[in-house]
Amino acid sequence: MIDVPTLVEQAREGRPRAVARLISLVEGASPQLREVMAALAPLSGKAYVVGLTGSPGVGKSTSTSALVTAYRRLGKRVGVLAVDPSSPFSGGALLGDRVRMQEHATDPEVFIRSMATRGHLGGLAWSAPQAIRVLDAAGCDVILVETVGVGQSEVEIAAQADTTVVLLAPGMGDGIQAAKAGILEIGDVYVVNKADRDGADATARELNHMLGLGEARQAGDWRPPIVKTVAAKQEGIDEVVEALEKHLAWMAGNGELAARRVRRAAQEVEAIAVTALRQRFGDVHGDKHLDALARRVADGELDPYAAADQLIAAVTG
Amino acid sequence: MIDVPTLVEQAREGRPRAVARLISLVEGASPQLREVMAALAPLSGKAYVVGLTGSPGVGKSTSTSALVTAYRRLGKRVGVLAVDPSSPFSGGALLGDRVRMQEHATDPEVFIRSMATRGHLGGLAWSAPQAIRVLDAAGCDVILVETVGVGQSEVEIAAQADTTVVLLAPGMGDGIQAAKAGILEIGDVYVVNKADRDGADATARELNHMLGLGEARQAGDWRPPIVKTVAAKQEGIDEVVEALEKHLAWMAGNGELAARRVRRAAQEVEAIAVTALRQRFGDVHGDKHLDALARRVADGELDPYAAADQLIAAVTG
């Protein structure tokens, strides 16, 4: 058994090994997480959580690293959480280009952790907020959450952040692709990276058009800015930080920040509850109840709704 | 209210409009689904369900259409379900190249339906089997389930099929990409489409290597074949059908077919039960219970596990 109080105290002091171990407990869905989260709950809620999302190839990793540099210049303690939700099978994060982060690896004020969310869908809904809580309790002022991989899970990651940055790059595919990925509805700040390449202005214009930024908005509405960067050269990154600070101030001023954090907590609580109930489904009658019901459904004897009713009755009765 | 018994009877007779309406009920998560599924349960379980998956650009749509042609030549009734799980926001399937299916649109023995799975993650776990049940009850011998879009959901689709076909194409990116997408663990049959292009043999070789097909296997194990096709010219498609029939016979012979169907039913039942319980979470104490708990978690007053305990107690108490 792990000595949770000591580990939490060490993490609170900002000791990297303790932080890493706590995030490993999250990653491994340790039974001790309950004790860890109870200890961390009163210590968290101070960090500003920024999600970074975008298709492979837009320079997410480079941009994250450039933002770490910018925030370190401002004297902030920074956490980086790289989440790989793309493979439910591999059981390990494929962090091929994490090497970009290595310039920050020796900085004691930077915590970098990758996390694979192996297994079932929805796992991110509880694992990401828990890992964020660890970094938060460790005194990070800013936590950058970056996805590795593609697909719908990016939207799930965005749901975990105070502010979502959507990254694009010139020539990365047409608008339909962006629309398909659903990323146009989730950005608070848009970044066109690799802006020294051909087509950057066209991408920014198309994005501006697709976002309907030319249209009239209500006073007080947030108008997502589009920032052009060359992350590999640190160009435009201070402007991204400025946009983030503006968004944070806007959210803090109108209650949106608190509302987003409540929404995030609601998702986390619901995900934990659903996971617990799923485990009960399996536990009922020695692991065989769901299986027996499924057999009858597969045979056409029972319809799936009636089977679900029986399952719920067995769990809640 | 819809007259479910009449609609089900018409679907059973193979009337396309009735089939389409029933699938629309699934897509819209209609409250009448319970009645529909109860009526369909004893009518289903006869169709062979084949899932097609692969990255955008490999020719999924063309391959699906070519398989329809091949199965029609064998006199089979064919259902095609194109699922778009990629955008939780758009609320509508972006079926840009469904046009490829139009050659089959007037064939009364072919049912083609696209379905957007709007909303929450895990929606596929109950909506895909229900749409499959509709096509099954309508007398389809073969149901081809094709995903539109990218990401983890493809793996979810694969879980719905008796046999999963993974499509690749030459020059579609390196092995790491395929590994990331998790598709190398889910294929029962592999297809290298666009085999008239440069690099097809190299892709097949790399695939063979990554799958470890050269390694010793136990007697009776399934050895996933790799078939080269040019779907646009119908080349190699009969070989794909042959591979599918072999896999079906293998599964039927050793109990794997029944086991997969039970697993599928278990996922469906569990997804329905979880959805019902989630609705209860929202209903408890006039929709405010989860919200109130989430507020206390966001404020650090309560840890998320304790909150989840309270939520479950309220639902099951």
Side-chain angles (χ1 to χ4, degrees):
Chain A
M1 290 294 276
I2 290 152
D3 176 2
V4 169
T6 303
L7 203 57
V8 165
E9 188 47 43
Q10 290 175 341
R12 194 182 181 178
E13 289 165 7
R15 295 209 209 164
R17 284 187 61 124
V19 170
R21 273 195 81 185
L22 287 175
I23 294 181
S24 293
L25 294 181
V26 172
E27 194 177 35
S30 161
Q32 287 193 282
L33 278 180
R34 170 179 280 271
E35 191 186 346
V36 171
M37 291 305 140
L40 294 182
L43 307 176
S44 57
K46 290 177 288 291
Y48 173 40
V49 183
V50 177
L52 289 104
T53 186
S55 302
V58 297
K60 263 184 297 190
S61 188
T62 314
S63 298
T64 302
S65 183
L67 278 169
V68 173
T69 301
Y71 274 116
R72 287 299 299 124
R73 284 182 191 159
L74 295 171
K76 308 278 192 186
R77 184 179 284 189
V78 186
V80 176
L81 189 66
V83 184
D84 184 357
S86 62
S87 172
F89 295 109
S90 72
L94 288 160
L95 297 173
D97 48 7
R98 283 297 86 189
V99 67
R100 297 224 174 86
M101 283 299 164
Q102 294 202 344
E103 59 175 302
H104 303 295
T106 55
D107 183 339
E109 295 294 309
V110 179
F111 298 86
I112 299 166
R113 194 61 165 79
S114 64
M115 185 171 71
T117 58
R118 54 195 87 169
H120 51 109
L121 279 166
L124 267 179
W126 62 262
S127 63
Q130 295 192 345
I132 288 167
R133 196 174 286 116
V134 171
L135 292 168
D136 191 349
C140 291
D141 301 296
V142 179
I143 299 168
L144 305 171
V145 183
E146 179 203 337
T147 43
V148 181
V150 291
Q152 191 168 10
S153 318
E154 306 225 328
V155 175
E156 248 193 299
I157 283 287
Q160 308 297 346
D162 296 323
T163 298
T164 297
V165 177
V166 173
L167 291 137
L168 293 95
M172 286 299 296
D174 59 4
I176 283 280
Q177 287 301 326
K180 266 191 176 177
I183 60 170
L184 286 182
E185 286 99 348
I186 61 172
D188 300 304
V189 172
Y190 288 86
V191 170
V192 178
N193 190 33
K194 305 187 182 180
D196 51 352
R197 294 202 185 165
D198 284 348
D201 288 331
T203 299
R205 264 198 312 275
E206 188 190 7
L207 183 60
N208 193 67
H209 176 70
M210 291 184 72
L211 291 170
L213 290 180
E215 294 161 24
R217 303 209 162 205
Q218 294 207 308
D221 276 4
W222 177 252
R223 194 179 183 285
I226 301 173
V227 184
K228 283 187 270 185
T229 62
V230 185
K233 298 178 185 168
Q234 202 69 22
E235 288 173 21
I237 300 300
D238 288 343
E239 287 72 14
V240 177
V241 170
E242 202 180 304
L244 291 173
E245 295 300 314
K246 268 189 194 156
H247 187 244
L248 178 60
W250 175 82
M251 288 192 297
N254 64 10
E256 175 70 13
L257 184 63
R260 289 191 181 197
R261 288 178 174 187
V262 169
R263 218 147 55 216
R264 199 158 81 206
Q267 284 172 4
E268 181 187 7
V269 171
E270 200 190 16
I272 292 172
V274 166
T275 302
L277 286 169
R278 271 182 200 270
Q279 281 164 353
R280 283 202 209 175
F281 288 163
D283 286 344
V284 180
H285 303 306
D287 217 349
K288 293 290 177 218
H289 199 62
L290 174 56
D291 191 57
L293 289 168
R295 252 169 232 287
R296 295 181 58 205
V297 171
D299 290 345
E301 283 172 32
L302 192 68
D303 77 83
Y305 287 90
D309 286 347
Q310 290 190 28
L311 191 61
I312 291 173
V315 167
T316 64
Chain B
M1 289 295 273
I2 291 151
D3 177 2
V4 169
T6 303
L7 204 57
V8 166
E9 190 45 43
Q10 290 177 342
R12 194 182 181 178
E13 289 164 8
R15 296 209 208 163
R17 284 187 59 124
V19 171
R21 273 194 80 186
L22 287 175
I23 294 180
S24 292
L25 293 181
V26 172
E27 194 176 35
S30 161
Q32 287 192 282
L33 278 180
R34 172 177 279 272
E35 192 185 347
V36 171
M37 291 304 139
L40 294 182
L43 307 176
S44 55
K46 291 175 288 291
Y48 173 40
V49 182
V50 178
L52 290 103
T53 186
S55 302
V58 297
K60 263 184 297 191
S61 189
T62 313
S63 298
T64 304
S65 184
L67 279 168
V68 173
T69 300
Y71 274 115
R72 287 298 300 122
R73 284 183 190 157
L74 297 170
K76 307 279 191 186
R77 184 178 285 190
V78 186
V80 176
L81 188 66
V83 184
D84 184 358
S86 62
S87 174
F89 295 109
S90 72
L94 289 160
L95 296 172
D97 47 7
R98 284 298 88 191
V99 68
R100 299 227 172 83
M101 285 297 163
Q102 293 201 346
E103 60 176 301
H104 303 295
T106 56
D107 183 339
E109 294 294 309
V110 179
F111 298 87
I112 300 166
R113 193 65 164 76
S114 64
M115 185 170 72
T117 57
R118 55 196 83 170
H120 50 109
L121 279 166
L124 268 179
W126 60 263
S127 62
Q130 295 193 344
I132 288 167
R133 197 175 285 118
V134 171
L135 292 166
D136 190 349
C140 291
D141 301 295
V142 180
I143 300 170
L144 305 171
V145 183
E146 177 203 339
T147 42
V148 181
V150 291
Q152 191 166 11
S153 317
E154 305 223 327
V155 175
E156 250 191 299
I157 284 286
Q160 309 297 345
D162 295 323
T163 299
T164 298
V165 178
V166 172
L167 292 137
L168 293 95
M172 286 298 297
D174 57 4
I176 281 280
Q177 287 300 326
K180 265 190 176 179
I183 59 171
L184 287 182
E185 286 98 350
I186 61 173
D188 301 304
V189 173
Y190 289 86
V191 170
V192 177
N193 190 33
K194 305 186 182 180
D196 52 353
R197 293 202 185 167
D198 283 348
D201 288 331
T203 299
R205 262 198 314 275
E206 188 189 8
L207 184 59
N208 192 68
H209 176 71
M210 290 184 73
L211 290 170
L213 291 180
E215 296 162 23
R217 304 208 162 208
Q218 296 208 304
D221 276 4
W222 177 251
R223 196 178 182 285
I226 300 173
V227 185
K228 282 187 270 184
T229 63
V230 185
K233 298 179 185 167
Q234 203 69 23
E235 289 172 22
I237 301 300
D238 287 344
E239 286 74 13
V240 177
V241 170
E242 202 180 304
L244 291 173
E245 295 301 314
K246 266 189 198 158
H247 187 243
L248 178 59
W250 175 83
M251 288 191 297
N254 65 8
E256 174 70 12
L257 184 64
R260 288 190 182 198
R261 287 176 177 189
V262 169
R263 217 147 55 213
R264 200 158 81 204
Q267 283 171 6
E268 181 187 7
V269 171
E270 199 189 16
I272 292 172
V274 166
T275 302
L277 286 170
R278 270 180 200 271
Q279 281 163 355
R280 283 201 208 175
F281 289 162
D283 287 344
V284 181
H285 304 305
D287 216 347
K288 293 292 179 217
H289 199 64
L290 175 57
D291 191 58
L293 289 168
R295 250 169 234 288
R296 294 180 59 204
V297 170
D299 291 345
E301 283 172 32
L302 191 68
D303 77 84
Y305 287 89
D309 285 347
Q310 290 192 28
L311 192 61
I312 291 173
V315 166
T316 63

